[in-house]
Amino acid sequence: MHIRTLGLWSISLSFIVSLLCSFSAHADDWLTLNIQGVSGELDRNIRAHLGQLPSSKVQRRAYIFNAEDNISAALHSLGYYHGQVEREVLSPEEGTWTLKLTIKPGPPTIIEWVDINLDGEILHDPVVLDWLNSLTIRPGDILNDGIYEQIKSQLVTLALARGYFDGKYIKSVITVNRDMNTARITLNYDSGQRYLIGDVSFEGQTLNSDLMQSLIPFKIDSPYSTANIASLNRELLDTGYFSNIKVLPLVDKSVDFYVPIKVEVSPKPSHSIELGLGADIGNTTEKTLEPRVRLTWRTPQINRFGQSQETSLEWAPDKPKFLTTYTIPLTHPLDDQLKIRLGILRDKYGVTQVYDPNDKKFKNTGELEANKFLVGVIRQQKLDNNWLLSYSLEGIREHYTQSEIDYDPTFVLFGASMSKTVRSDNSLDPKSGYFQHYSVEYANPSLGSSVRLTRIQTKYKWIDTFFEKHRIVTRLDLGINLATEEDLAFIPPSLRYFAGGDQSIRGYSYQELGPYLDYTSASGELTRQVVGGRYLMVGSLEYQYYLTPTWRVAAFVDAGNAFDVNQIEPIVSVGPGIHWISPIGPIKLDLGVGLKETDTVDRPWRIHLTMGSEL
């Protein structure tokens, strides 16, 4: 049945296309239009008023008969009241007729004054006043009926969006003096009283009523605006609790200028499971295909207090990861959360090499592997100035073998961080914005840690778009570990600094770069192992050019590295990229090329495929 339906649709579509093509060709056979004397906006407006070319003898007669009236209407709408039209019809007995129109538009009508007078509470509305100041229509402009109607419509639309539901025009008129070729525009709008937001009621929710009330981002009795309604919808959507959301202003049920708000919601399914498949196709240390499987289990609402959980299990060769996070809303479901985390992770860092005396070079034999167990408690708060404040207590135990010595340190980390993101718009590909992040973590032997450590990090990203199509993206990552020389080996790899990857230095594998140690193994081989550094400094400058609104090309320079006191080796990579601005966010394909060989990595190249917003 499905195949049959598809076949019928294909036949019908072909028939319609053929019919349209034959109709178009038939219409051209009846009349050819030749317009002279005007161009640009006048020409386009005249053709729009004349309409489609005729497709029959009767239509052709009516088209030619009404041509002058339609042209006069087109000229008047753009402020030309003294236009002249010369019409010539070439009508052979056989073949296509030709309608030749020679138009002299005459002098334009100039706006002498513009009087936009507002009465009522709207007179003191800053948003409306900003709109009024942004109008470009001025005395001395050529009269344009379309712009006049647009201004009238914009004011009504803005007034309704701002809660002036009783507003109306007292006077709206264009007075034209045809002898002087001048016009006066008068708009007098009385807004009346602005309505206020009344009680907000919820239907369909299974959450605590206090929790739902805390999601209302405005005060009852606030002036009505669609922006407030949209912010409530956005708050409900961002919680992740609901599958369907309707925020309905009941203007027709307003009492004493108070508009009640009705919210209808439907809870999400109790559980969801997401399966992700991927692969890391070759890197600069191991030329292999490394499959990845990720399973994520989410429970968006465990109970009426809005608590939720997310558990992810990721498998890759030698890199299994398990992480579960339990979230408890405190004073606000979005702006104040307590997160409890438990994880078991295995990861690889840097590269391990053995010297081959025959080839007189180091060859890759593996990487620095670490098994990590963590448990942590984090409180995350969004402040009024849009800063995100977090403070945490995290315990980790990490096992790794470095220079053929086994380490098993324990750390209890007290941490705090602040970050802020500013976007020019809420799209997934903002034209401008910036991100800044600052964090500090502290561990002390007297508080349960193996060694004393102070870890400080800061990150910056800045985006701006110039002349619509030219976009600049820059970022800077800095980090420092404050610890004594004898304690460095006891700082686990997950707390050290490495460089490399699509968010660091492109052209190199993830966490491949950093300081290294040389040692002689138990079998007598000279071995070199990248173990990470105390310091991190990585920056990037990227230029992007929009070919179309959804496609752009890019060129970038990444530079920096992870360092130690006795090893400072800056790395630079460059490359091109092509980006597709998809409905789910930018998808970027970048080719990174390293400009130099290092002691542990040959001069590499690498393709990076990433998805997601840069802010």
Side-chain angles (χ1 to χ4, degrees):
M1 180 64 70
H2 178 70
I3 296 176
R4 178 178 292 180
T5 303
L6 181 60
L8 289 174
W9 169 249
S10 301
I11 295 172
S12 301
L13 182 61
S14 301
F15 174 74
I16 293 170
V17 171
S18 301
L19 185 62
L20 288 175
C21 292
S22 63
F23 173 80
S24 176
H26 190 63
D28 292 341
D29 288 342
W30 286 103
L31 186 65
T32 298
L33 184 62
N34 183 358
I35 299 177
Q36 299 180 358
V38 294
S39 61
E41 187 179 14
L42 268 178
D43 180 75
R44 291 191 295 271
N45 199 43
I46 288 170
R47 292 181 185 274
H49 275 74
L50 288 172
Q52 292 184 348
L53 291 173
S55 59
S56 67
K57 186 181 294 185
V58 174
Q59 289 182 9
R60 181 174 64 190
R61 186 184 304 115
Y63 189 95
I64 295 173
F65 179 80
N66 295 319
E68 291 190 34
D69 289 341
N70 289 332
I71 291 171
S72 294
L75 291 172
H76 290 174
S77 68
L78 294 180
Y80 293 86
Y81 289 93
H82 301 287
Q84 297 178 3
V85 182
E86 294 181 7
R87 184 184 68 179
E88 182 181 356
V89 180
L90 302 179
S91 52
E93 292 185 3
E94 295 184 3
T96 305
W97 286 24
T98 300
L99 175 60
K100 182 179 179 181
L101 300 168
T102 303
I103 303 170
K104 297 179 180 179
T109 300
I110 303 300
I111 298 174
E112 188 175 21
W113 80 33
V114 180
D115 180 19
I116 301 179
N117 184 31
L118 303 179
D119 292 317
E121 291 189 5
I122 200 172
L123 184 60
H124 307 290
D125 192 321
V127 173
V128 177
L129 295 180
D130 287 343
W131 167 82
L132 193 61
N133 292 330
S134 70
L135 294 179
T136 57
I137 188 170
R138 296 287 186 271
D141 293 348
I142 296 175
L143 180 65
N144 187 319
D145 286 357
I147 295 177
Y148 166 76
E149 293 295 338
Q150 185 181 44
I151 292 173
K152 283 183 61 179
S153 176
Q154 284 179 352
L155 180 54
V156 171
T157 301
L158 183 58
L160 292 175
R162 301 290 290 170
Y164 303 100
F165 297 116
D166 298 330
K168 60 183 178 180
Y169 278 106
I170 305 301
K171 185 177 183 180
S172 58
V173 64
I174 301 177
T175 305
V176 177
N177 186 333
R178 298 196 179 190
D179 295 331
M180 301 296 294
N181 292 321
T182 59
R184 297 179 176 182
I185 295 177
T186 302
L187 293 174
N188 187 352
Y189 185 83
D190 186 355
S191 69
Q193 186 171 334
R194 185 176 185 181
Y195 282 59
L196 306 175
I197 293 178
D199 292 333
V200 180
S201 59
F202 295 92
E203 292 186 3
Q205 89 284 1
T206 57
L207 291 167
N208 184 295
S209 60
D210 291 339
L211 189 68
M212 296 298 296
Q213 290 295 321
S214 69
L215 287 168
I216 301 174
F218 47 77
K219 296 181 179 179
I220 306 302
D221 298 345
S222 297
Y224 179 92
S225 72
T226 54
N228 278 337
I229 303 302
S231 65
L232 174 56
N233 187 86
R234 188 165 53 251
E235 288 276 296
L236 295 169
L237 183 64
D238 289 346
T239 62
Y241 294 140
F242 312 109
S243 59
N244 294 297
I245 301 167
K246 292 182 181 178
V247 182
L248 307 172
L250 306 179
V251 179
D252 56 334
K253 295 185 179 181
S254 302
V255 177
D256 296 330
F257 298 101
Y258 284 89
V259 180
I261 308 298
K262 180 182 178 181
V263 181
E264 298 177 355
V265 297
S266 301
K268 276 189 174 181
S270 300
H271 302 278
S272 68
I273 296 177
E274 179 179 291
L275 178 65
L277 302 174
D280 188 2
I281 306 175
N283 57 41
T284 54
T285 57
E286 295 182 6
K287 312 297 183 182
T288 57
L289 174 65
E290 185 176 277
R292 296 179 183 275
V293 180
R294 183 183 180 91
L295 186 69
T296 304
W297 167 40
R298 295 185 180 92
T299 308
Q301 181 188 332
I302 293 176
N303 51 38
R304 61 193 296 265
F305 300 105
Q307 297 173 7
S308 61
Q309 72 84 27
E310 178 177 311
T311 300
S312 64
L313 180 63
E314 182 176 323
W315 178 88
D318 300 322
K319 294 182 182 179
K321 296 180 181 179
F322 168 83
L323 182 65
T324 183
T325 303
Y326 193 92
T327 302
I328 303 172
L330 298 178
T331 59
H332 189 278
L334 294 173
D335 297 343
D336 190 5
Q337 298 176 333
L338 185 69
K339 296 178 180 289
I340 302 172
R341 287 179 179 168
L342 177 66
I344 304 173
L345 307 94
R346 182 187 298 169
D347 216 333
K348 294 183 177 182
Y349 305 84
V351 59
T352 300
Q353 302 174 320
V354 172
Y355 185 75
D356 187 342
N358 295 323
D359 292 339
K360 297 182 178 180
K361 62 184 297 186
F362 282 91
K363 292 187 177 180
N364 298 334
T365 59
E367 297 166 271
L368 174 61
E369 299 184 9
N371 294 312
K372 179 179 177 180
F373 304 88
L374 71 88
V375 59
V377 179
I378 305 168
R379 184 172 184 180
Q380 184 173 285
Q381 293 178 292
K382 185 178 180 181
L383 307 181
D384 292 338
N385 53 10
N386 288 325
W387 281 93
L388 192 64
L389 171 65
S390 298
Y391 38 98
S392 61
L393 174 62
E394 185 177 64
I396 67 172
R397 187 168 186 175
E398 194 160 343
H399 173 76
Y400 55 97
T401 301
Q402 180 177 306
S403 303
E404 297 189 348
I405 300 175
D406 291 336
Y407 293 90
D408 192 19
T410 299
F411 277 81
V412 178
L413 290 165
F414 298 85
S417 68
M418 291 187 68
S419 62
K420 185 175 185 179
T421 302
V422 176
R423 297 181 178 90
S424 61
D425 53 72
N426 289 322
S427 71
L428 293 174
D429 188 51
K431 297 299 181 184
S432 63
Y434 65 87
F435 166 78
Q436 51 185 323
H437 170 88
Y438 310 92
S439 68
V440 59
E441 294 173 292
Y442 178 73
N444 192 297
S446 61
L447 299 174
S449 298
S450 297
V451 297
R452 179 180 285 103
L453 171 66
T454 301
R455 194 164 188 263
I456 303 172
Q457 293 185 90
T458 181
K459 299 179 181 181
Y460 303 94
K461 182 171 282 191
W462 174 75
I463 297 174
D464 209 348
T465 302
F466 304 92
F467 308 112
E468 296 184 359
K469 294 185 176 182
H470 305 271
R471 191 170 186 251
I472 298 293
V473 178
T474 62
R475 57 179 167 84
L476 177 66
D477 295 345
L478 303 172
I480 181 172
N481 279 349
L482 301 177
T484 61
E485 188 73 29
E486 57 271 19
D487 289 340
L488 291 181
F490 294 93
I491 299 175
S494 65
L495 298 181
R496 303 175 196 168
Y497 295 109
F498 296 83
D502 53 58
Q503 299 301 312
S504 179
I505 302 178
R506 284 163 281 192
Y508 297 86
S509 295
Y510 176 64
Q511 294 187 336
E512 176 182 22
L513 300 171
Y516 60 86
L517 294 175
D518 286 342
Y519 64 94
T520 301
S521 67
S523 59
E525 295 176 306
L526 178 60
T527 305
R528 176 169 290 173
Q529 187 174 48
V530 175
V531 296
R534 277 188 273 186
Y535 311 105
L536 176 72
M537 183 170 63
V538 173
S540 176
L541 175 62
E542 181 167 331
Y543 167 74
Q544 301 170 351
Y545 177 78
Y546 285 87
L547 301 172
T548 70
T550 57
W551 285 95
R552 68 180 178 226
V553 292
F556 62 84
V557 178
D558 299 338
N561 206 342
F563 304 101
D564 219 329
V565 175
N566 57 348
Q567 288 188 32
I568 301 176
E569 188 175 13
I571 300 296
V572 178
S573 71
V574 299
I578 184 166
H579 304 168
W580 174 42
I581 316 304
S582 76
I584 58 174
I587 298 176
K588 297 175 285 187
L589 183 68
D590 296 324
L591 170 62
V593 179
L595 296 186
K596 62 174 289 188
E597 295 183 357
T598 72
D599 290 338
T600 56
V601 180
D602 294 335
R603 179 174 174 177
W605 64 272
R606 186 172 176 84
I607 295 174
H608 300 273
L609 180 64
T610 57
M611 183 179 70
S613 176
E614 282 150 327
L615 285 178

